[in-house]
Amino acid sequence: MLRVLAVDDEKPLLEELLYLLRSDPRVRRAEGASDATEALRRVTRALESGPDGADGIDVVFLDIHMAGLTGLDVARLLAGFARPPLIVFVTAHEGFAVQAFDLKAVDYVLKPVRPERLAEAVRRACEQLSRSEEGPVAAGPAAAAPVAGARAVTAPRHPLAEVTVADRGPDQIAVELGGVTRFVAIADISYVEAHGDYARLHTDEGSHLVRIPVSTLEERWAARGFVRIHRRHLVALARIDELRLEAGTTSVRVGAAELQVSRRHARELRDLLMRQATG
């Protein structure tokens, strides 16, 4: 019988999904998470407790469009774990099916969810779980294509392998995902966006999601010119193109992104930019 985690940031839809899952005799336990960060914490706890632990999770029924991290982001992160749970996407959007199956999803269920269609997804999850218990089954996505300006090397997995991050010498940061480590130049990072215990590093070529709090990067990179402008954002001072003051609010433009500056950080940021301009 399946141990299920359902993830959706719309409470009525999550409650309906949980009701249907709990009505299926093949589901031993179904619990809910209202956002991606909570889901990742629960999966981490489940893996730490072991496959037969009280918090074990066999399959995650995952919405795609959520505030903050998307369901596709979550699936990519889970693929970095040594024994990731199965994934079933539950979404109102047809256009992500190819990406979903590239991430080895068991099924792709469209909203509004019909009980018979959800039952089919449960059947498929049961079958795949049974096959994986009989022998090794390939899991996780294929290695991502290299990003411009980054080098990739293969790294062995280990129990509870996750997305990790560490400084590589003075100029690069190593980002590990699914057994592949990429080295990204810190100078190429424009700003950092907080997602709970995770952070998204934004560069001109794209972004990298890593498991490290923004507060840790703020402390580490202060000497490199990164400044906190908001509880959600850490910005490379040299990458700020414009400072805007409008209707009592402050924002900065970093490339194509416009980021809000909180009141507590606004004066310090203006002083830093003035000193940079006159120094």
Side-chain angles (χ1 to χ4, degrees), residues 44-64:
T44 300
R45 188 170 66 237
L47 292 174
E48 288 172 346
S49 72
D52 299 319
D55 297 316
I57 297 172
D58 300 312
V59 57
V60 180
F61 283 74
L62 187 59
D63 187 23
I64 287 182

Side-chain angles (χ1 to χ4, degrees), residues 77-141:
L77 288 168
L78 294 183
F81 287 70
R83 293 179 59 86
L86 303 177
I87 299 291
V88 173
F89 285 104
V90 183
T91 178
H93 304 275
E94 297 181 3
F96 298 100
V98 172
Q99 295 178 62
F101 289 113
D102 282 346
L103 290 166
K104 312 301 183 188
V106 173
D107 207 346
Y108 192 90
V109 180
L110 290 175
K111 297 177 181 178
V113 177
R114 294 178 290 112
E116 62 272 20
R117 182 65 186 86
L118 188 65
E120 172 62 15
V122 170
R123 183 192 68 77
R124 293 182 182 182
C126 287
E127 284 190 356
Q128 184 155 329
L129 185 64
S130 177
R131 288 197 301 269
S132 67
E133 290 173 348
E134 292 171 0
V137 175

Side-chain angles (χ1 to χ4, degrees), residues 17-196:
L17 180 58
L18 286 171
Y19 172 78
L20 293 173
L21 288 167
R22 289 166 180 164
S23 300
D24 193 305
R26 295 164 295 186
V27 174
R28 181 198 309 178
R29 183 182 73 243
E31 297 178 347
S34 58
D35 59 49
T37 300
E38 181 186 355
L40 289 166
R41 286 174 180 159
R42 290 197 181 200
V43 173
T44 300
R45 188 170 66 237
L47 292 174
E48 288 172 346
S49 72
D52 299 319
D55 297 316
I57 297 172
D58 300 312
V59 57
V60 180
F61 283 74
L62 187 59
D63 187 23
I64 287 182
H65 274 293
M66 296 185 288
L69 301 179
T70 70
L72 295 171
D73 289 330
V74 173
R76 292 186 186 102
L77 288 168
L78 294 183
F81 287 70
R83 293 179 59 86
L86 303 177
I87 299 291
V88 173
F89 285 104
V90 183
T91 178
H93 304 275
E94 297 181 3
F96 298 100
V98 172
Q99 295 178 62
F101 289 113
D102 282 346
L103 290 166
K104 312 301 183 188
V106 173
D107 207 346
Y108 192 90
V109 180
L110 290 175
K111 297 177 181 178
V113 177
R114 294 178 290 112
E116 62 272 20
R117 182 65 186 86
L118 188 65
E120 172 62 15
V122 170
R123 183 192 68 77
R124 293 182 182 182
C126 287
E127 284 190 356
Q128 184 155 329
L129 185 64
S130 177
R131 288 197 301 269
S132 67
E133 290 173 348
E134 292 171 0
V137 175
V147 176
R151 268 195 314 119
V153 298
T154 302
R157 289 193 176 188
H158 51 84
L160 296 180
E162 296 181 356
V163 178
T164 59
V165 61
D167 283 325
R168 183 187 187 247
D171 301 320
Q172 293 180 312
I173 186 168
V175 182
E176 184 182 331
L177 177 58
V180 175
T181 300
R182 305 193 183 281
F183 299 110
V184 179
I186 295 173
D188 290 342
I189 298 170
S190 301
Y191 67 97
V192 182
E193 185 178 4
H195 291 286

